[in-house]
Coordinates of all heavy atoms in Angstrom, one line a residue:
S190 N 106.0 6.3 -20.1 CA 106.1 7.8 -20.1 C 107.4 8.3 -20.8 O 107.4 9.4 -21.3 CB 106.0 8.3 -18.7 OG 107.1 7.8 -17.9
F191 N 108.5 7.5 -20.8 CA 109.7 8.0 -21.4 C 109.8 7.9 -22.9 O 110.7 8.4 -23.5 CB 110.9 7.3 -20.7 CG 110.9 5.8 -21.0 CD1 111.3 5.2 -22.1 CD2 110.3 4.9 -20.0 CE1 111.3 3.8 -22.3 CE2 110.3 3.6 -20.2 CZ 110.8 3.0 -21.4
L192 N 108.8 7.3 -23.5 CA 108.8 7.1 -25.0 C 108.3 8.3 -25.7 O 107.4 9.0 -25.3 CB 108.0 5.9 -25.4 CG 108.5 4.5 -24.9 CD1 107.5 3.5 -25.4 CD2 109.9 4.2 -25.6
T193 N 109.0 8.6 -26.8 CA 108.5 9.6 -27.8 C 107.4 9.0 -28.6 O 107.3 7.8 -28.7 CB 109.6 10.2 -28.7 OG1 110.1 9.1 -29.5 CG2 110.7 10.7 -27.8
P194 N 106.5 9.8 -29.3 CA 105.5 9.3 -30.2 C 106.1 8.4 -31.3 O 105.5 7.3 -31.6 CB 104.9 10.5 -30.8 CG 105.0 11.6 -29.7 CD 106.4 11.3 -29.1
V195 N 107.3 8.7 -31.8 CA 107.9 7.9 -32.8 C 108.3 6.6 -32.3 O 108.1 5.5 -32.9 CB 109.1 8.6 -33.5 CG1 109.8 7.7 -34.4 CG2 108.7 9.9 -34.2
S196 N 108.8 6.6 -31.1 CA 109.2 5.3 -30.4 C 108.0 4.4 -30.1 O 108.1 3.2 -30.3 CB 110.0 5.6 -29.1 OG 111.2 6.3 -29.4
C197 N 106.9 5.1 -29.7 CA 105.7 4.3 -29.5 C 105.3 3.6 -30.7 O 105.0 2.4 -30.7 CB 104.6 5.2 -29.0 SG 104.9 6.0 -27.4
F198 N 105.2 4.3 -31.8 CA 104.8 3.8 -33.1 C 105.7 2.7 -33.5 O 105.3 1.6 -34.0 CB 104.7 4.9 -34.1 CG 104.3 4.4 -35.5 CD1 102.9 4.2 -35.8 CD2 105.2 4.0 -36.4 CE1 102.6 3.8 -37.1 CE2 104.9 3.6 -37.7 CZ 103.5 3.4 -38.0
F199 N 107.0 2.9 -33.4 CA 108.0 1.9 -33.9 C 107.9 0.6 -33.1 O 108.1 -0.5 -33.6 CB 109.4 2.5 -33.8 CG 110.5 1.5 -34.3 CD1 110.6 1.3 -35.6 CD2 111.3 0.9 -33.4 CE1 111.6 0.3 -36.1 CE2 112.2 0.0 -33.8 CZ 112.4 -0.3 -35.2
S200 N 107.6 0.7 -31.8 CA 107.5 -0.5 -31.0 C 106.4 -1.4 -31.4 O 106.5 -2.6 -31.5 CB 107.4 -0.1 -29.5 OG 107.3 -1.2 -28.7
E201 N 105.2 -0.7 -31.7 CA 104.1 -1.5 -32.2 C 104.3 -2.0 -33.6 O 103.9 -3.1 -34.0 CB 102.8 -0.7 -32.1 CG 102.3 -0.4 -30.7 CD 101.8 -1.7 -30.1 OE1 101.0 -2.4 -30.8 OE2 102.2 -2.0 -29.0
F202 N 104.9 -1.2 -34.4 CA 105.2 -1.6 -35.8 C 106.2 -2.8 -35.8 O 105.9 -3.8 -36.6 CB 105.9 -0.4 -36.5 CG 106.3 -0.6 -37.9 CD1 105.4 -0.3 -39.0 CD2 107.5 -1.2 -38.2 CE1 105.8 -0.6 -40.3 CE2 107.9 -1.4 -39.5 CZ 107.1 -1.1 -40.6
L203 N 107.2 -2.8 -35.0 CA 108.2 -3.8 -35.0 C 107.6 -5.1 -34.5 O 107.8 -6.2 -35.2 CB 109.4 -3.4 -34.1 CG 110.5 -4.5 -33.9 CD1 111.1 -4.9 -35.2 CD2 111.5 -4.0 -32.9
G204 N 106.9 -5.1 -33.4 CA 106.3 -6.3 -32.9 C 105.3 -6.9 -33.8 O 105.2 -8.1 -34.0
S205 N 104.5 -6.0 -34.5 CA 103.5 -6.5 -35.4 C 104.1 -7.2 -36.6 O 103.6 -8.2 -37.1 CB 102.5 -5.4 -35.8 OG 101.9 -4.8 -34.7
A206 N 105.2 -6.6 -37.1 CA 105.9 -7.2 -38.3 C 106.4 -8.5 -38.0 O 106.3 -9.5 -38.8 CB 107.0 -6.2 -38.7
I207 N 107.0 -8.7 -36.8 CA 107.5 -10.0 -36.4 C 106.4 -11.0 -36.2 O 106.5 -12.2 -36.6 CB 108.3 -9.9 -35.1 CG1 109.6 -9.0 -35.3 CG2 108.7 -11.2 -34.5 CD1 110.4 -8.7 -34.1
L208 N 105.3 -10.5 -35.6 CA 104.1 -11.4 -35.4 C 103.6 -12.0 -36.7 O 103.3 -13.2 -36.9 CB 103.0 -10.7 -34.7 CG 101.7 -11.4 -34.4 CD1 102.0 -12.7 -33.6 CD2 100.7 -10.5 -33.8
I209 N 103.4 -11.1 -37.7 CA 102.8 -11.6 -39.0 C 103.8 -12.5 -39.7 O 103.4 -13.4 -40.4 CB 102.3 -10.4 -39.9 CG1 101.4 -10.9 -41.0 CG2 103.5 -9.7 -40.4 CD1 100.1 -11.6 -40.5
I210 N 105.1 -12.2 -39.6 CA 106.1 -13.1 -40.3 C 106.0 -14.5 -39.6 O 106.0 -15.5 -40.4 CB 107.5 -12.5 -40.1 CG1 107.7 -11.3 -41.0 CG2 108.6 -13.5 -40.5 CD1 109.0 -10.5 -40.9
G211 N 105.9 -14.5 -38.3 CA 105.7 -15.8 -37.7 C 104.4 -16.5 -38.1 O 104.4 -17.7 -38.3
V212 N 103.3 -15.8 -38.1 CA 102.1 -16.4 -38.5 C 102.1 -16.9 -39.9 O 101.7 -18.1 -40.2 CB 100.9 -15.3 -38.4 CG1 99.7 -15.8 -39.1 CG2 100.7 -15.0 -37.0
L213 N 102.7 -16.2 -40.9 CA 102.8 -16.6 -42.3 C 103.7 -17.8 -42.4 O 103.5 -18.7 -43.2 CB 103.2 -15.5 -43.2 CG 102.3 -14.3 -43.3 CD1 102.9 -13.2 -44.2 CD2 100.9 -14.7 -43.8
C214 N 104.7 -17.8 -41.6 CA 105.7 -19.0 -41.6 C 105.0 -20.3 -41.1 O 105.2 -21.3 -41.8 CB 106.9 -18.6 -40.7 SG 108.1 -20.0 -40.5
V215 N 104.3 -20.2 -40.0 CA 103.8 -21.5 -39.5 C 102.6 -22.0 -40.3 O 102.1 -23.1 -40.1 CB 103.4 -21.3 -38.0 CG1 104.6 -21.0 -37.1 CG2 102.2 -20.3 -37.8
T216 N 102.1 -21.1 -41.2 CA 101.0 -21.6 -42.0 C 101.4 -21.8 -43.5 O 100.5 -22.0 -44.3 CB 99.8 -20.5 -42.0 OG1 100.3 -19.2 -42.3 CG2 99.2 -20.5 -40.6
D217 N 102.7 -21.7 -43.7 CA 103.2 -21.9 -45.1 C 103.5 -23.4 -45.3 O 104.4 -23.9 -44.6 CB 104.5 -21.0 -45.2 CG 105.1 -21.1 -46.7 OD1 104.5 -21.9 -47.5 OD2 106.0 -20.3 -47.0
K218 N 102.8 -24.0 -46.1 CA 103.0 -25.5 -46.3 C 104.3 -25.8 -46.9 O 104.8 -27.0 -46.7 CB 101.9 -26.0 -47.3 CG 100.5 -25.8 -46.7 CD 99.4 -26.3 -47.7 CE 98.0 -26.1 -47.2 NZ 97.0 -26.6 -48.2
K219 N 105.1 -24.9 -47.5 CA 106.4 -25.2 -48.0 C 107.5 -24.8 -47.1 O 108.7 -24.7 -47.6 CB 106.5 -24.5 -49.4 CG 105.6 -25.1 -50.5 CD 105.8 -24.4 -51.8 CE 104.9 -25.0 -52.9 NZ 105.2 -24.4 -54.2
N220 N 107.2 -24.4 -45.9 CA 108.3 -23.9 -45.0 C 108.2 -24.6 -43.7 O 108.4 -24.0 -42.6 CB 108.1 -22.4 -44.8 CG 109.3 -21.7 -44.2 OD1 110.4 -22.3 -44.2 ND2 109.2 -20.5 -43.7
G221 N 108.1 -25.9 -43.7 CA 108.1 -26.7 -42.5 C 107.1 -26.3 -41.4 O 107.4 -26.0 -40.3
P222 N 105.8 -26.3 -41.8 CA 104.8 -25.9 -40.8 C 104.6 -27.0 -39.7 O 105.0 -28.1 -39.9 CB 103.5 -25.9 -41.7 CG 103.7 -26.9 -42.8 CD 105.2 -26.7 -43.1
P223 N 104.1 -26.6 -38.6 CA 103.9 -27.6 -37.5 C 102.9 -28.6 -37.9 O 102.1 -28.3 -38.8 CB 103.5 -26.7 -36.3 CG 102.9 -25.5 -36.9 CD 103.7 -25.3 -38.2
P224 N 102.8 -29.8 -37.2 CA 101.8 -30.8 -37.5 C 100.4 -30.2 -37.4 O 100.2 -29.2 -36.6 CB 102.0 -31.9 -36.5 CG 103.5 -31.7 -36.1 CD 103.7 -30.2 -36.2
Q225 N 99.4 -30.8 -38.0 CA 98.0 -30.3 -38.0 C 97.5 -30.2 -36.5 O 97.7 -31.2 -35.7 CB 97.1 -31.3 -38.8 CG 95.7 -30.8 -38.9 CD 94.8 -31.7 -39.7 OE1 95.3 -32.7 -40.2 NE2 93.6 -31.3 -40.0
G226 N 97.0 -29.1 -36.2 CA 96.4 -28.9 -34.8 C 97.4 -28.3 -33.9 O 97.0 -27.9 -32.8
L227 N 98.7 -28.1 -34.3 CA 99.7 -27.5 -33.4 C 100.1 -26.1 -33.8 O 101.0 -25.6 -33.2 CB 100.9 -28.4 -33.4 CG 100.7 -29.8 -32.7 CD1 102.1 -30.5 -32.7 CD2 100.2 -29.7 -31.3
V228 N 99.4 -25.5 -34.7 CA 99.6 -24.1 -35.0 C 99.5 -23.2 -33.8 O 100.3 -22.3 -33.5 CB 98.7 -23.6 -36.2 CG1 98.8 -22.1 -36.3 CG2 99.2 -24.3 -37.5
P229 N 98.4 -23.4 -32.9 CA 98.3 -22.6 -31.7 C 99.5 -22.7 -30.8 O 99.8 -21.7 -30.2 CB 97.0 -23.2 -31.1 CG 96.2 -23.7 -32.2 CD 97.2 -24.3 -33.1
L230 N 100.1 -23.9 -30.7 CA 101.3 -24.0 -29.9 C 102.4 -23.2 -30.4 O 103.2 -22.6 -29.7 CB 101.7 -25.5 -29.8 CG 102.9 -25.8 -29.0 CD1 102.8 -25.4 -27.5 CD2 103.2 -27.3 -29.0
A231 N 102.6 -23.2 -31.8 CA 103.6 -22.4 -32.4 C 103.4 -20.9 -32.1 O 104.3 -20.2 -31.8 CB 103.7 -22.7 -33.9
L232 N 102.1 -20.5 -32.2 CA 101.8 -19.1 -31.9 C 102.0 -18.8 -30.4 O 102.3 -17.6 -30.1 CB 100.3 -18.8 -32.3 CG 100.0 -19.0 -33.8 CD1 98.6 -18.8 -34.1 CD2 100.9 -18.0 -34.6
F233 N 101.8 -19.7 -29.5 CA 102.1 -19.5 -28.1 C 103.5 -19.2 -27.9 O 103.9 -18.2 -27.2 CB 101.7 -20.8 -27.3 CG 102.2 -20.8 -25.9 CD1 101.3 -20.2 -24.9 CD2 103.4 -21.2 -25.5 CE1 101.7 -20.2 -23.6 CE2 103.8 -21.2 -24.2 CZ 103.0 -20.7 -23.2
I234 N 104.4 -19.9 -28.6 CA 105.8 -19.7 -28.5 C 106.2 -18.3 -29.1 O 107.0 -17.5 -28.5 CB 106.6 -20.8 -29.2 CG1 106.4 -22.1 -28.5 CG2 108.1 -20.5 -29.2 CD1 106.9 -23.3 -29.2
L235 N 105.6 -18.0 -30.2 CA 105.8 -16.7 -30.9 C 105.4 -15.5 -30.0 O 106.2 -14.6 -29.8 CB 105.0 -16.7 -32.2 CG 105.1 -15.4 -33.0 CD1 106.5 -15.0 -33.4 CD2 104.2 -15.5 -34.2
V236 N 104.2 -15.5 -29.5 CA 103.8 -14.4 -28.7 C 104.5 -14.3 -27.4 O 104.8 -13.2 -26.9 CB 102.2 -14.5 -28.4 CG1 101.8 -13.5 -27.5 CG2 101.5 -14.5 -29.7
L237 N 104.9 -15.5 -26.8 CA 105.7 -15.5 -25.6 C 107.0 -14.8 -25.8 O 107.5 -14.0 -25.0 CB 105.9 -16.9 -25.1 CG 106.7 -17.1 -23.8 CD1 106.0 -16.4 -22.6 CD2 106.9 -18.6 -23.5
G238 N 107.6 -15.1 -26.9 CA 108.9 -14.5 -27.3 C 108.8 -13.0 -27.5 O 109.7 -12.3 -27.0
I239 N 107.8 -12.6 -28.2 CA 107.6 -11.2 -28.5 C 107.4 -10.4 -27.2 O 108.0 -9.4 -26.9 CB 106.4 -10.9 -29.4 CG1 106.8 -11.5 -30.8 CG2 106.1 -9.4 -29.5 CD1 105.6 -11.4 -31.8
G240 N 106.6 -11.0 -26.3 CA 106.3 -10.3 -25.0 C 107.5 -10.2 -24.1 O 107.8 -9.2 -23.5
A241 N 108.3 -11.3 -24.1 CA 109.5 -11.4 -23.2 C 110.6 -10.5 -23.7 O 111.4 -10.0 -22.9 CB 110.0 -12.8 -23.1
S242 N 110.6 -10.2 -25.0 CA 111.7 -9.4 -25.5 C 111.3 -7.9 -26.0 O 112.2 -7.0 -26.0 CB 112.3 -10.1 -26.7 OG 111.4 -10.3 -27.7
L243 N 110.1 -7.7 -26.3 CA 109.6 -6.4 -26.9 C 108.4 -5.9 -26.1 O 107.8 -4.9 -26.6 CB 109.3 -6.6 -28.3 CG 110.4 -7.1 -29.3 CD1 109.8 -7.3 -30.7 CD2 111.6 -6.1 -29.3

Side-chain angles (χ1 to χ4, degrees):
S190 59
F191 59 82
L192 291 177
T193 65
V195 174
S196 296
C197 294
F198 178 86
F199 180 73
S200 182
E201 287 293 310
F202 178 94
L203 175 62
S205 300
I207 294 173
L208 177 61
I209 195 63
I210 289 174
V212 169
L213 296 178
C214 174
V215 300
T216 56
D217 185 353
K218 296 178 181 179
K219 295 184 178 181
N220 194 18
Q225 186 176 5
L227 292 184
V228 168
L230 178 60
L232 296 177
F233 171 89
I234 298 172
L235 173 62
V236 174
L237 180 62
I239 292 174
S242 57
L243 303 173

